[in-house]
Amino acid sequence: MAPSFVPNGGFVAAGKSSSASVTSRLTSVYSEVQTSRIDHDLPLPSVLKRPFKVVDGPRSSAAGHPDEIAKLFPNLFGQPSAMLVPDDSNAELPDQKLKIGVVLSGGQAPGGHNVISGIFDYLQERVKGSTLYGFKGGPAGIMKCKYVELNSDYIYPYRNQGGFDMICSGRDKIETPEQFKQTEDTVTKLDLDGLVVIGGDDSNTNACLLAENFRSKNMKTLVIGCPKTIDGDLKCKEVPTSFGFDTACKIYSEMIGNVMVDARSTGKYYHFVRLMGRAASHITLECALQTHPNITIIGEEVAATKKTLKNVTDYIVNIICKRSEANYNYGVILIPEGLIDFIPEVQHLIAELNEILANDIVDEGGLWKKKLTDQSLKLFEFLPRTIQEQLMLERDPHGNVQVAKIETEKMLIQMVDTELEKRKKEGSYKMEFKGQSHFFGYEGRCGLPTNFDATYCYALGFGAAALIHSGKTGLISSVCASLHTLIIVGNLSAPVEEWTVGGTALTSLMDVERRHGKFKPVIKKAMVELEGPPYKKFASMRDEWALKNHYISPGPIQFTGPGSDAINHTLLLELGVQS
Amino acid sequence: MAPSFVPNGGFVAAGKSSSASVTSRLTSVYSEVQTSRIDHDLPLPSVLKRPFKVVDGPRSSAAGHPDEIAKLFPNLFGQPSAMLVPDDSNAELPDQKLKIGVVLSGGQAPGGHNVISGIFDYLQERVKGSTLYGFKGGPAGIMKCKYVELNSDYIYPYRNQGGFDMICSGRDKIETPEQFKQTEDTVTKLDLDGLVVIGGDDSNTNACLLAENFRSKNMKTLVIGCPKTIDGDLKCKEVPTSFGFDTACKIYSEMIGNVMVDARSTGKYYHFVRLMGRAASHITLECALQTHPNITIIGEEVAATKKTLKNVTDYIVNIICKRSEANYNYGVILIPEGLIDFIPEVQHLIAELNEILANDIVDEGGLWKKKLTDQSLKLFEFLPRTIQEQLMLERDPHGNVQVAKIETEKMLIQMVDTELEKRKKEGSYKMEFKGQSHFFGYEGRCGLPTNFDATYCYALGFGAAALIHSGKTGLISSVCASLHTLIIVGNLSAPVEEWTVGGTALTSLMDVERRHGKFKPVIKKAMVELEGPPYKKFASMRDEWALKNHYISPGPIQFTGPGSDAINHTLLLELGVQS
């Protein structure tokens, strides 16, 4: 069953695959760049290269409602964070073979395969004879006990490669008592010492619930989470970034930079670029910092300042008019995918529409509109016809309006066009507006991980295995730059050696939400902080970017040579390395 | 006015710019990759590094209707192609200073700036004290005598950079007697020895008409063309490829490769990817060869086999059904931008709609549809509602249907969905179809040129200047690999040294078209040849790609290290280097 590497740079299948979707990579021919990445050497933080011990920090609390979190996690609440420190005695770590399971949960993010490689390599180096199982297709694979035993040959073609296809992912959650029972059966059947859950906020909440459950039942299985999401909204002081964010932002920024050069060369289009990131606008903000667009809409700012759709439209139109005075008839505008979700009046309209669509007859003549509140009716009439239709026609299986299907970039183009026509008649705008729409989404989720994400993920995986080896549970693997690194070297990539590795208590990231009369634990999404360094830097520069053209074209991600060690601005600014 | 390079990797403006759109690059901050590219050393074919002379080939003819071409170009018809060969005597070339103008015409293509650098560096090295003028904003800049004198400082920041913003481009044509007169005035005023026209088929036709005109009037200005278009449809035996094609295809293929990995990881989407390329499907074919998608539609094949839209839909649906039997519920499908233009029945429908929209009342009740022929009515009813609306609503200033605005990828998703629903009811399809649409267009036109395009364009520019220096006119700059190179080394990039440089008679590329009762000269677009090696290779592999997943992810364009010397398959196959 082992794949064999063939001289033409490809892999050939070494037998009939048992699962088409999981092992299909083995029949792939690899590109030169893919092939070169497989054998790319990953630097390890020095603490992972030598014997270490785990040192506990002070007792932890919760992100909010510590009393409720304490009730929900009686066995885990208050756990200290753990830090790996060199220890040449190596007395504390057992050399008993380990059995560990790993699962990928939720949407793809570049670097997931490297987390798995990191876990595997740790076991190979430190606890020979151990076993790593990959659960297939996400948490459902745990519940249904669908897994594959991962060995060197199996893992090899996925090293430093994008995607999640080594074991695939899924969006199921382990929630009901039956599902917890299935999970217990699986970890018992496989005799698992540990389980690594690679996922976003929801999946890490789930990981913590599993850890609590196993401990409460005196089961030996330890659970460690890993911070994954290109959206960049799972982070805290000890978890400086979620993996995949760096790669995705660089892929999008390459495209934005190209579009900018095109805009400037052509001189006649406004490009409206919608970027993935539903809940938070980190991706849009980071891409703005990388490329310096003329206009950037940050959802969190729109929400905080209670902007209406008309306000957003006017903001764009005002800049377009000002630019026209400087004889610029082109530009680039970045819009977060989740923009609409940040606008309160749109939320109200959609709620009202859902109500009407569920209970009333929508007549052709439009009498149904009388059921809308004045504010919502005004907004509905303000929307372009095609968007009105999308709102009325596109419904999910529950009959609700599918906000995700609304092409915000096209909607804004139409609204901006309408407003500019008005201003033209008033004489305050004299040019010809032409909008071009773009949506960059799936293209960024599965790219080859950057050197940063590849290295970061490998350390996360190595660290996760080390935490399990050290008997830890309910932690999220965390890899940070040491203060020394930050002050002395000023960037994260060169001194990987000095990265710190540890685990942060998952309960310390949690708050509760009231759902159906009960408190539910949640890891709050990290939104763009309007007082944070990335936003503040952007805010200090955007007026200049709006009227002058300070476009930057980052170019394609490089794996060697100039640019290959670059790290995203958000991380550097939040760590205080960049100003 | 010279830009100055500042240590933080940026350029600062060195004075108030006279034209915002043309000199805005000078106020840009450059990314690390952009900066590193500026000083990237470009290898030159050895013939350009030493003294050379021009050797003429045999008398040429035309691509079609030689008698008519001879009448249209009495001064140029029959010109031999020219080849540069080493000549250490260097006796023939004058050392009188030259004045040359250069213009960028039509859509952007990566490498345009390098052609200009090549011309400039030739003059610097071989005819010191010469002058290079850049006409601003395309051919209109020639007619209006809008130009900038290009010097080292001006050119420097654009070296190896994407876009056309050094002097910008435009789509005007020099057609009327008045416009020819304006052009004569400009070249006389500037005392031009030569003019280099960088453009596609139309622009090179125009270049040839200018050359003929100047010669017929005994004016000294020589005209040389350069083959530019990402679409890859300007080529012939002596002009193996148009520049920009290599870079654009690699940018699109990076994105396609990422989407493939995403498709395989997620396992639940069919991605329909529309790719730029209106007239010919070279880009789609090349991207297919680079990435191995499950389904690829080649416009030329659709036209040759007289496929209907229903045929195309069924072809896709049949493969999706077959894949579902192998338990694959995902895939990637490439569609050329110009697909609709290749389908005869769609052409008929659009012609009828244009007629009806121009002359009749389109009633809400749909009585107008009776004016359609049976075939067109059937097709119209077959189209998804949103596409019907687009056909009726989106019209250009002449009232015609705007075919370019039709989102073919979305149209196909809807048609495939409808057909699959039917098959589901019939029991021949059992899965859940979900389509995701993508359009990759502007993102690829202005990227940083690949090493191949950078080198190729520099040689094209160097060669164009050499041809003017040698007194040649009415030629298109041509750079080829020598037979020796092809046989011995097997790839084009390493032995740039051995590339041949010369010029091909523009009249030899020409045929005539009858327009308004007159013969007009045209350079025929090079379409995908169904007997050519690239198509044949694709056709021999597509059945396997359809059902098995042989996806390749080329990854981002690399400028150093593995993959940085890669050359597109189309060129290698057409040169016989790859099989």
Side-chain angles (χ1 to χ4, degrees), chain A residues 494-507:
Chain A
V496 172
E497 285 261 321
E498 298 177 31
W499 284 1
T500 62
V501 179
T504 301
L506 278 163
T507 46

Side-chain angles (χ1 to χ4, degrees), chain B residues 172-222:
Chain B
D172 304 270
K173 283 184 197 169
I174 299 168
E175 288 184 309
T176 66
E178 296 72 38
Q179 289 170 329
F180 272 92
K181 181 66 178 51
Q182 289 171 336
T183 304
E184 291 164 20
D185 291 347
T186 294
V187 302
T188 306
K189 184 181 161 199
L190 294 179
D191 190 32
L192 289 192
D193 299 291
L195 175 65
V196 181
V197 177
I198 303 169
D201 49 341
D202 271 356
S203 309
N204 275 286
T205 304
N206 218 203
C208 196
L209 287 166
L210 287 179
E212 175 69 23
N213 182 56
F214 293 153
R215 175 147 297 179
S216 74
K217 292 180 176 156
N218 282 319
M219 293 169 66
K220 69 169 180 175
T221 315
L222 310 165

Side-chain angles (χ1 to χ4, degrees), chain A residues 20 24-25 27-29 31-34 36 108 162-165 168 251 254-255 258 261-262 264-266 269 271 328 385 389 393 407 410 436 438 440 442-443 445-448 549-563, chain B residues 20 24-25 27-29 31-34 36 108 162-165 168 251 254-255 258 261-262 264-266 269 271 328 385 389 393 407 410 436 438 440 442-443 445-448 549-563:
Chain A
S24 57
R25 177 82 70 134
T27 63
S28 283
V29 178
S31 69
E32 201 177 341
V33 175
Q34 281 181 301
S36 75
Q108 287 73 52
F164 272 8
D165 48 319
C168 290
I251 292 173
E254 175 196 355
M255 296 299 120
N258 288 359
V261 176
D262 202 275
R264 186 161 53 193
S265 296
T266 313
Y269 293 120
H271 294 268
Y328 290 129
R385 199 183 57 87
E389 285 191 2
L393 293 172
E407 297 175 308
K410 290 189 180 167
Q436 290 284 352
H438 306 262
F440 298 144
Y442 294 91
E443 300 83 354
R445 301 198 317 178
C446 281
L448 283 161
N549 298 316
H550 288 328
Y551 300 153
I552 297 188
S553 190
I557 290 169
Q558 298 298 296
F559 296 118
T560 59
Chain B
S24 56
R25 177 83 69 134
T27 63
S28 285
V29 178
S31 69
E32 200 175 342
V33 175
Q34 281 181 301
S36 75
Q108 286 74 51
F164 273 8
D165 48 320
C168 289
I251 292 173
E254 176 197 355
M255 296 297 120
N258 287 358
V261 176
D262 202 275
R264 185 161 53 192
S265 296
T266 314
Y269 293 120
H271 294 267
Y328 290 129
R385 198 184 57 90
E389 285 191 2
L393 293 172
E407 296 175 309
K410 291 189 179 166
Q436 289 285 353
H438 306 262
F440 299 143
Y442 294 91
E443 300 83 355
R445 302 198 315 179
C446 280
L448 284 160
N549 299 317
H550 288 328
Y551 300 153
I552 297 188
S553 190
I557 290 170
Q558 297 298 295
F559 295 118
T560 58

Side-chain angles (χ1 to χ4, degrees), chain B residues 318-381:
Chain B
N318 290 342
I319 291 176
I320 291 176
C321 288
K322 268 199 193 157
R323 287 177 61 79
S324 77
E325 290 163 20
N327 218 22
Y328 290 129
N329 193 25
Y330 64 90
V332 175
I333 298 165
L334 304 190
I335 304 151
E337 189 183 16
L339 175 61
I340 286 184
D341 297 322
F342 286 104
I343 301 177
E345 58 165 4
V346 178
Q347 293 302 324
H348 295 151
L349 169 63
I350 287 168
E352 290 177 32
L353 285 177
N354 283 340
E355 197 65 27
I356 290 169
L357 290 169
N359 302 313
D360 297 300
I361 290 162
V362 175
D363 59 307
E364 291 261 327
L367 284 173
W368 64 270
K369 289 184 198 165
K370 292 192 177 166
K371 299 195 178 88
L372 291 171
T373 58
D374 282 355
Q375 191 207 30
S376 290
L377 179 61
K378 208 174 133 193
L379 173 60
F380 188 81
E381 302 288 4

Side-chain angles (χ1 to χ4, degrees), chain B residues 111-143:
Chain B
H113 290 146
N114 279 35
V115 178
I116 300 176
S117 314
I119 302 168
F120 182 78
D121 289 353
Y122 179 90
L123 294 177
Q124 291 287 99
E125 284 179 26
R126 302 287 181 113
V127 218
K128 282 233 183 325
S130 293
T131 309
L132 180 61
Y133 298 107
F135 289 106
K136 288 188 192 175
I142 305 179
M143 295 186 276

Side-chain angles (χ1 to χ4, degrees), chain A residues 341-358:
Chain A
D341 297 323
F342 285 104
I343 302 177
E345 58 164 4
V346 179
Q347 292 303 324
H348 295 151
L349 170 63
I350 287 167
E352 291 178 30
L353 286 176
N354 283 340
E355 197 65 26
I356 292 169
L357 290 169

